[in-house]
Amino acid sequence: MMQNVHLAPETDEDDLYSGYNDYNPTYDTEDLENDTAFQQAVRTSHGRRHPSKTSLASSMGRPMTGAIQDGVTRPMTAVRAAGFTKAALRGSSFDPLGQSRGPAPPLEAKNEDSPEEKIRQLEKKVNELVEESCIANSCGDLKLALEKAKDAGRKERVLVRQREQVTTPENINLDLTYSVLFNLANQYSANEMYTEALNTYQVIVKNKMFSNAGKLKMNMGNIYLKQRNYSKAIKFYRMALDQIPSVHKEMRIKIMQNIGVTFIKTGQYSDAINSFEHIMSMAPNLKAGFNLILSYFAIGDQEKMKKSFQKLIAVPLEIDEDDKYISPSDDPHTNLVIEAIKNDHLRQMERERKAMAEKYIMTAAKLIAPVIETSFAVGYDWCVEVVKASQYVELANDLEINKAITYLRQKDFTQAVDTLKMFEKKDSRVKSAAATNLSFLYYLENEFAQASSYADLAVNSDRYNPSALTNKGNTVFANGDYEKAAEFYKEALRNDSSCTEALYNIGLSYKKLNRLSEALDCFLKLHAILRNSAQVLYQIANVYELMEDPNQAIEWLMQLISVVPTDSRALSKLGELHDSEGDKSQAFQYYYESYRYFPSNIEVIEWLGAYYIDTQFCEKAIQYFERASLIQPTQVKWQLMVASCFRRSGNYQKALDTYKDIHKKFPENVECLRFLVRLCTDIGLKEVQEYATKLKRLEKMKEIREQRIKSGRDGSGGSRGKREGSAGSDSGQNCSASSKSERLSAKLRALPGTNEPYESSSNKEIDASYVDPLGPQVERPKTAAKKRVDEDDFADEELGDDLLPE
């Protein structure tokens, strides 16, 4: 027994854990088999007892010590190693994990037909439908989102009925019902089904079992605001404000902001001011500050506008400084971290917030500057001083540039130039922006030398400024060096791939250089970026026309008129192309549409009049030539054509009256006198002798004049042009219709002889000197929208908002 006795060490003062392993050796069962005294006692007493006695339970109802139960002997002591049980039969193997017992019995199968399981599966399906509806809404598929929401609502009602049959009403899942109804109302609202959305919200709000349902009255107010029912919107906003506790400060501020916006829409600016003033005193933000300025601007309170602008400037942005993203050392780990966070989502959000703040401030300054002081210049100066003293110091220069642009709008170019010249000594970014605008101004005034010098200054200040490079290219383009201009445009495009002005101008440069395929590539690339640009569509059509592909040109012009259907020049161009292809009917349709939108185009009027004469409808041509005579009253040919149309249609009296009016206005016109003599002779009027005398005198003067011209040409080799409105040489005694004033640009029949009756069906159909009215002629730039795309006036398009920021 002494082997189980543990002696304490002689010195255990330093042992912190002494005594923890000491226990009464009586409870040690590990060495009982080796204990001789114990084994002797078992063999002499316990081992000889009758087996039936050893299995009897004690009086307390538990097995006796050493009793065999379930094949395992009850231990004689509680001190036993974990996982070890001694088998009742000797010779059993050590099996601490119980592997000899075999595999575990299979799990009981679920009863899918049970009501509880059916309810559980249906509830899961409803949740899935709600999630799918929300995902479809976030992806922009609003119709699918609404269908899923409706399906979820139907299944949820079935779920409620089944649950009421199985359990008590207290066990109904109210959260699921709330989420289904709320999602359904949101989807109705997203699909602009406002009545259904309001009804669904009313179901939620009126149910007292839903907690915090009063917040949804804000959503109902938003719907009434979209419906422009402003009184009800304000009512529901205030009801929501009353039901939201004061601890939800941010929610209450948003509702008050909605109330203020609604008051602005109704014109109740005083009430709107109260709401926004309260917001700016409790939790100032940019939107509320800007709306407060708008409200004071509406009532014309100058001092309050100034104070509100100062409040707007003082709103904290709560973003990190840019210095945070600059590496202070050469530590590669630090540089890696900074590079990772330089353009992450948080940084992008900070940039957006800063850009929004600058937009509000710039817009507010431009709004109030003209009204807060005696002049807009003084108002801008005040705004600049306030901005310089704030955290938005860099906006002061932008305000100065806007001041120059305001001078431009007022056509005060001198002040605009003086304001922009003040930036020549500023930092490079501002200097480049000011020089770019100065170059643009001088370019518009056709002072290309000044424009070029300021473009050079802008490029030297900021070599990566695409607007400066584009302006420099424009000045070179104006001087005719298209190759060099294209190089500047290419550099601008390399610095900013979104600079559409540079790409457009490259196409124009290639077009001037007759590199039509490269020009077409540029315009097609630009079309992929600007899908509905009338300028680009016209240029593509024009390039195809130059490449002698009229079918493609017509196709692109059709796209052009789908974008600008009222563009008369595009329609007339389509008519010209169809006419060149021989399709007169289509040409007439487009020329007529062009005339309908712009009835002052002489070329279109001339073509339409010639078309009606060619198709034997002279009376319809009269209205077009009369309009031409109104547009060009000093051109005698239009009035002669009106008289000729009356004569050809058989209205001889009207023709005679018209010729008489022409003779009063143009008494030296030979053609008019000839027709007067002929008509008076056929009708038998007495005035024939008077007109014949005048005609002879004019013809004699004409012969004298021609002799002088011939002698002068023989003497000096020079010649003078004929007088405007002259009829040209006679074509014969019996046929005099070949005069220039009557031939125009159409197929006109020759006048019948003196002895022939005036019939509109004369066999003399066509003058031998016929020329196609819109045939080959000197190429000139056409416009798609009243010279919006004229390649010779390209400066307005290329510069755009980049050079004159709004």
Side-chain angles (χ1 to χ4, degrees):
M1 295 296 291
M2 294 300 295
Q3 58 185 348
N4 294 324
V5 177
H6 300 276
L7 301 177
E10 296 179 359
T11 57
D12 56 353
E13 295 179 359
D14 297 331
D15 190 1
L16 297 176
Y17 301 101
S18 60
Y20 284 100
N21 293 327
D22 297 339
Y23 60 95
N24 194 336
T26 307
Y27 302 109
D28 188 5
T29 60
E30 294 180 359
D31 296 329
L32 289 179
E33 292 183 358
N34 300 324
D35 192 338
T36 307
F38 179 75
Q39 293 295 333
Q40 183 65 28
V42 171
R43 284 197 293 272
T44 55
S45 60
H46 178 74
R48 295 179 181 177
R49 293 185 180 181
H50 196 274
S52 61
K53 295 182 180 180
T54 59
S55 61
L56 294 176
S58 65
S59 59
M60 298 301 293
R62 64 183 178 86
M64 297 176 60
T65 301
I68 299 174
Q69 186 177 18
D70 296 333
V72 180
T73 307
R74 182 179 184 275
M76 300 181 65
T77 175
V79 180
R80 182 175 60 185
F84 176 77
T85 55
K86 190 158 185 169
L89 301 176
R90 293 185 180 274
S92 62
S93 61
F94 177 72
D95 188 16
L97 300 179
Q99 296 179 358
S100 60
R101 299 179 185 177
L107 297 175
E108 294 183 3
K110 291 184 178 180
N111 187 5
E112 296 182 358
D113 296 333
S114 64
E116 291 81 4
E117 185 62 25
K118 288 183 179 179
I119 291 173
R120 192 178 299 109
Q121 292 297 326
L122 189 56
E123 186 173 334
K124 182 179 178 182
K125 181 61 177 177
V126 171
N127 280 315
E128 290 176 354
L129 287 171
V130 172
E131 291 178 3
E132 291 172 1
S133 174
C134 296
I135 292 172
N137 181 282
S138 64
C139 294
D141 194 347
L142 301 181
K143 290 184 178 180
L144 178 62
L146 180 60
E147 290 300 323
K148 295 286 185 181
K150 289 181 177 178
D151 196 11
R154 288 190 290 267
K155 291 187 181 302
E156 193 273 335
R157 287 192 291 273
V158 173
L159 174 63
V160 170
R161 287 195 294 270
Q162 290 185 4
R163 195 181 289 274
E164 287 176 348
Q165 294 174 2
V166 175
T167 61
T168 57
E170 289 79 8
N171 293 328
I172 295 176
N173 191 347
L174 291 176
D175 292 338
L176 182 62
T177 305
Y178 180 87
S179 63
V180 169
L181 291 174
F182 180 61
N183 179 62
L184 181 60
N186 278 336
Q187 303 309 331
Y188 276 135
S189 179
N191 285 273
E192 298 183 358
M193 301 170 66
Y194 297 130
T195 304
E196 292 83 352
L198 288 171
N199 293 336
T200 309
Y201 279 127
Q202 285 286 2
V203 171
I204 302 175
V205 171
K206 290 182 178 180
N207 194 333
K208 302 299 182 182
M209 300 178 67
F210 295 136
S211 59
N212 298 324
K215 294 180 181 179
L216 299 183
K217 291 184 178 178
M218 181 178 67
N219 292 13
M220 299 174 72
N222 291 338
I223 293 176
Y224 282 121
L225 183 63
K226 291 177 182 177
Q227 293 179 328
R228 298 187 178 182
N229 192 344
Y230 301 125
S231 59
K232 278 199 172 184
I234 293 173
K235 174 184 175 182
F236 275 89
Y237 284 143
R238 285 178 170 168
M239 291 170 64
L241 196 64
D242 293 338
Q243 296 186 12
I244 293 177
S246 57
V247 293
H248 297 157
K249 181 180 177 181
E250 186 175 354
M251 179 68 72
R252 292 177 63 86
I253 290 295
K254 289 181 179 179
I255 295 176
M256 291 194 68
Q257 190 160 317
N258 286 3
I259 293 174
V261 171
T262 311
F263 277 131
I264 288 180
K265 289 182 177 292
T266 58
Q268 303 178 41
Y269 300 112
S270 299
D271 295 328
I273 287 170
N274 293 333
S275 298
F276 293 129
E277 285 283 9
H278 178 75
I279 295 172
M280 294 302 288
S281 62
M282 298 295 295
N285 62 75
L286 294 168
K287 290 183 179 179
F290 181 75
N291 287 333
L292 182 61
I293 293 174
L294 288 181
S295 302
Y296 281 124
F297 177 82
I299 65 175
D301 194 333
Q302 298 179 355
E303 292 300 321
K304 294 290 186 181
M305 276 188 271
K306 289 183 177 181
K307 292 181 180 179
S308 301
F309 186 75
Q310 291 172 338
K311 290 180 181 179
L312 177 64
I313 291 287
V315 172
L317 277 180
E318 297 179 354
I319 63 175
D320 293 327
E321 299 293 335
D322 291 337
D323 297 341
K324 173 184 176 181
Y325 301 98
I326 299 175
S327 178
S329 63
D330 295 333
D331 183 15
H333 178 71
T334 305
N335 294 338
L336 191 62
V337 172
I338 291 175
E339 195 66 29
I341 67 174
K342 188 177 291 185
N343 200 33
D344 61 356
H345 291 294
L346 180 60
R347 178 60 175 161
Q348 292 175 8
M349 187 188 70
E350 290 177 346
R351 288 200 194 101
E352 291 173 1
R353 183 178 295 179
K354 186 176 181 181
M356 183 181 67
E358 293 176 353
K359 179 182 176 182
Y360 281 136
I361 293 169
M362 290 292 293
T363 307
K366 288 190 287 185
L367 179 70
I368 68 173
V371 298
I372 57 176
E373 297 291 349
T374 55
S375 67
F376 86 92
V378 180
Y380 263 108
D381 292 338
W382 182 87
C383 292
V384 168
E385 293 301 322
V386 173
V387 170
K388 283 182 178 179
S390 69
Q391 56 184 328
Y392 305 99
V393 182
E394 64 275 6
L395 287 182
N397 295 323
D398 295 335
L399 280 174
E400 289 281 4
I401 292 179
N402 273 284
K403 179 181 175 183
I405 295 172
T406 308
Y407 277 124
L408 283 178
R409 290 200 178 102
Q410 295 182 354
K411 303 189 183 303
D412 192 348
F413 295 100
T414 305
Q415 288 289 344
V417 171
D418 292 341
T419 305
L420 290 172
K421 285 182 177 179
M422 293 168 51
F423 293 95
E424 292 182 3
K425 297 182 180 179
K426 297 290 182 71
D427 59 11
S428 60
R429 184 187 69 84
V430 180
K431 184 193 298 183
S432 178
T436 300
N437 283 299
L438 283 169
S439 173
F440 173 68
L441 289 176
Y442 283 120
Y443 185 90
L444 293 182
E445 294 179 352
N446 293 328
E447 297 183 15
F448 299 125
Q450 288 279 11
S452 180
S453 63
Y454 277 104
D456 290 334
L457 177 61
V459 171
N460 293 333
S461 301
D462 185 2
R463 187 69 189 182
Y464 300 100
N465 185 350
S467 299
L469 291 166
T470 302
N471 276 4
K472 180 60 181 175
N474 290 348
T475 58
V476 176
F477 188 101
N479 293 326
D481 192 350
Y482 306 121
E483 286 282 1
K484 191 174 181 181
E487 292 300 323
F488 280 109
Y489 297 142
K490 288 177 183 177
E491 186 176 354
L493 204 59
R494 284 194 296 268
N495 293 337
D496 183 6
S497 59
S498 63
C499 184
T500 54
E501 295 86 355
L503 185 57
Y504 182 86
N505 290 353
I506 291 174
L508 290 182
S509 301
Y510 287 148
K511 191 174 165 187
K512 287 287 187 181
L513 293 168
N514 204 29
R515 293 156 62 176
L516 298 180
S517 59
E518 296 177 60
L520 184 61
D521 289 340
C522 292
F523 291 128
L524 289 174
K525 288 178 183 177
L526 197 57
H527 175 64
I529 301 171
L530 307 174
R531 302 296 299 179
N532 295 322
S533 173
Q535 300 168 343
V536 177
L537 291 170
Y538 174 79
Q539 291 297 341
I540 294 173
N542 185 244
V543 171
Y544 274 121
E545 183 185 4
L546 295 175
M547 295 172 71
E548 298 181 354
D549 190 349
N551 293 326
Q552 283 289 338
I554 290 173
E555 181 180 340
W556 284 96
L557 283 173
M558 292 295 292
Q559 293 188 39
L560 173 61
I561 64 172
S562 68
V563 176
V564 279
T566 60
D567 193 321
S568 63
R569 298 304 297 267
L571 291 166
S572 65
K573 190 66 179 177
L574 268 171
E576 179 184 339
L577 290 172
H578 280 292
D579 187 36
S580 65
E581 290 293 299
D583 192 348
K584 294 288 184 182
S585 60
Q586 278 291 94
F588 170 75
Q589 177 184 348
Y590 288 114
Y591 271 121
Y592 182 77
E593 286 295 312
S594 175
Y595 172 78
R596 196 162 63 88
Y597 289 118
F598 185 58
S600 300
N601 190 331
I602 289 294
E603 294 179 359
V604 175
I605 292 172
E606 183 179 3
W607 193 94
L608 288 171
Y611 174 80
Y612 278 119
I613 291 176
D614 190 30
T615 54
Q616 311 274 335
F617 292 101
C618 297
E619 61 277 2
K620 290 188 177 181
I622 292 173
Q623 60 172 325
Y624 297 104
F625 292 127
E626 285 180 342
R627 180 171 288 276
S629 66
L630 291 175
I631 297 171
Q632 295 180 346
T634 60
Q635 294 287 332
V636 67
K637 64 178 181 179
W638 306 121
Q639 300 181 45
L640 286 173
M641 285 307 304
V642 172
S644 177
C645 289
F646 280 126
R647 176 179 54 77
R648 293 171 187 278
S649 61
N651 193 346
Y652 305 127
Q653 185 61 44
K654 190 70 175 175
L656 179 63
D657 294 339
T658 306
Y659 280 126
K660 286 181 179 181
D661 291 338
I662 296 172
H663 180 65
K664 290 178 183 178
K665 296 177 183 177
F666 304 94
E668 296 184 358
N669 188 271
V670 177
E671 292 297 322
C672 180
L673 283 171
R674 283 176 182 165
F675 284 113
L676 280 172
V677 170
R678 191 170 302 168
L679 282 173
C680 290
T681 301
D682 293 341
I683 298 175
L685 297 179
K686 297 179 180 180
E687 294 95 333
V688 62
Q689 190 62 37
E690 177 185 353
Y691 293 129
T693 304
K694 291 182 179 180
L695 178 60
K696 289 180 180 179
R697 186 173 65 250
L698 286 176
E699 287 178 345
K700 194 170 185 180
M701 291 174 60
K702 182 180 179 182
E703 289 178 2
I704 296 172
R705 189 183 306 113
E706 287 178 352
Q707 289 177 359
R708 289 177 181 174
I709 292 172
K710 185 178 180 181
S711 61
R713 186 184 300 115
D714 293 339
S716 60
S719 63
R720 293 183 301 170
K722 294 183 180 181
R723 216 174 22 167
E724 182 182 8
S726 177
S729 60
D730 296 339
S731 62
Q733 183 179 0
N734 296 328
C735 184
S736 61
S738 60
S739 62
K740 180 180 178 181
S741 61
E742 188 137 347
R743 273 187 280 119
L744 286 175
S745 303
K747 299 178 180 179
L748 304 181
R749 291 188 301 275
L751 288 172
T754 308
N755 299 324
E756 296 176 356
Y758 286 93
E759 295 178 358
S760 60
S761 59
S762 174
N763 293 327
K764 296 186 177 181
E765 289 288 329
I766 301 174
D767 190 348
S769 60
Y770 163 75
V771 179
D772 193 346
L774 294 178
Q777 51 186 313
V778 178
E779 192 275 340
R780 62 169 176 268
K782 296 293 183 181
T783 61
K786 297 182 183 177
K787 294 194 177 180
R788 287 178 54 203
V789 294
D790 193 336
E791 59 199 36
D792 293 333
D793 298 330
F794 65 94
D796 293 335
E797 301 93 54
E798 298 116 13
L799 305 182
D801 293 337
D802 277 343
L803 307 185
L804 286 181
E806 293 296 334

